[in-house]
Amino acid sequence: MAFKEDYATLSLPPYDELNAEFDLSAVADDCARPAKEVAKKIFERVDGFKKILESLLQPESVIEMEEAGKLTEKQQQEIAAVIQSLMRIDRELLVAELENTDEAYVHFVNTAWAAWPSVKEKLQPIVQLLRDNWSVQKKLKITHHYLG
């Protein structure tokens, strides 16, 4: 049976809606566990945003430090709140992974889907801020050290 046909037999949100947000069309047509595959696609999207936001609070690279340095304390708090929402979704998947049943993955998908619009709404201004911050010219101070 094809993925979309298997998907239709599960108690999940409409395929087209989830596909638009989480790229379900990339799931192999012959996958054995459609609910688990949908859960993985949701995790991929959540994890990507979580890593970006986490790097703003704990920068490691020069680019991350540059972005983090432009944030106000209020913006950092907003980012921390969004990370908390993303972590709740992430940890819901861990519960499903431990149970490893189709029912657990369906529950995860439905829970994540219910939370996603609110999380996405909070992500939007943060992502726009990050984009806009790269439009502002900043003079970089580069110190060259003589090693000779």
Side-chain angles (χ1 to χ4, degrees), residues 15 18 20 25 33-35 37 42-43 53 55 66 68 71 74 84-85 91 93 101 109 111 117 138:
Y15 174 85
L18 250 64
S25 59
R33 298 185 66 193
E37 292 303 317
I42 292 172
F43 173 78
L53 296 182
S55 74
E66 180 71 22
L71 299 172
K74 182 179 183 225
Q84 185 176 11
S85 298
R91 296 314 187 228
L93 179 60
T101 64
V109 170
T111 301
K138 180 181 177 189

Side-chain angles (χ1 to χ4, degrees), residues 12-147:
L12 294 173
Y15 174 85
D16 291 337
E17 292 178 24
L18 250 64
N19 184 41
E21 292 292 331
F22 303 109
D23 196 24
L24 301 185
S25 59
V27 173
D29 226 22
D30 62 346
C31 73
R33 298 185 66 193
K36 185 173 184 174
E37 292 303 317
V38 173
K40 285 181 188 178
K41 296 303 282 180
I42 292 172
F43 173 78
E44 288 172 8
R45 176 65 46 91
V46 167
D47 193 52
F49 281 111
K50 187 178 63 162
K51 286 177 180 176
I52 291 166
L53 296 182
E54 185 179 28
S55 74
L56 295 171
L57 300 183
Q58 284 287 4
E60 293 182 16
S61 72
V62 173
I63 290 172
E64 291 169 351
M65 288 179 201
E66 180 71 22
E67 284 190 324
K70 294 178 180 176
L71 299 172
T72 66
E73 187 174 327
K74 182 179 183 225
Q75 291 166 334
Q76 291 173 347
Q77 290 172 351
E78 290 167 357
I79 289 167
V82 175
I83 290 172
Q84 185 176 11
S85 298
L86 293 170
M87 286 304 299
R88 275 196 297 275
I89 294 170
D90 183 278
R91 296 314 187 228
E92 283 289 333
L93 179 60
L94 288 181
V95 171
E97 288 282 304
L98 287 171
E99 291 179 26
N100 198 24
T101 64
D102 288 338
E103 294 79 19
Y105 289 115
V106 166
H107 176 74
F108 164 76
V109 170
N110 286 315
T111 301
W113 180 244
W116 182 247
S118 172
V119 172
K120 185 177 174 182
E121 185 178 320
K122 293 173 189 169
L123 274 169
Q124 199 96 29
I126 294 168
V127 172
Q128 288 172 347
L129 173 71
L130 294 176
R131 178 200 61 204
D132 294 347
N133 278 344
W134 286 106
S135 300
V136 177
Q137 288 288 346
K138 180 181 177 189
K139 186 174 182 172
L140 293 176
K141 181 180 178 184
I142 301 173
T143 305
H144 298 282
H145 299 282
Y146 179 70
L147 300 175

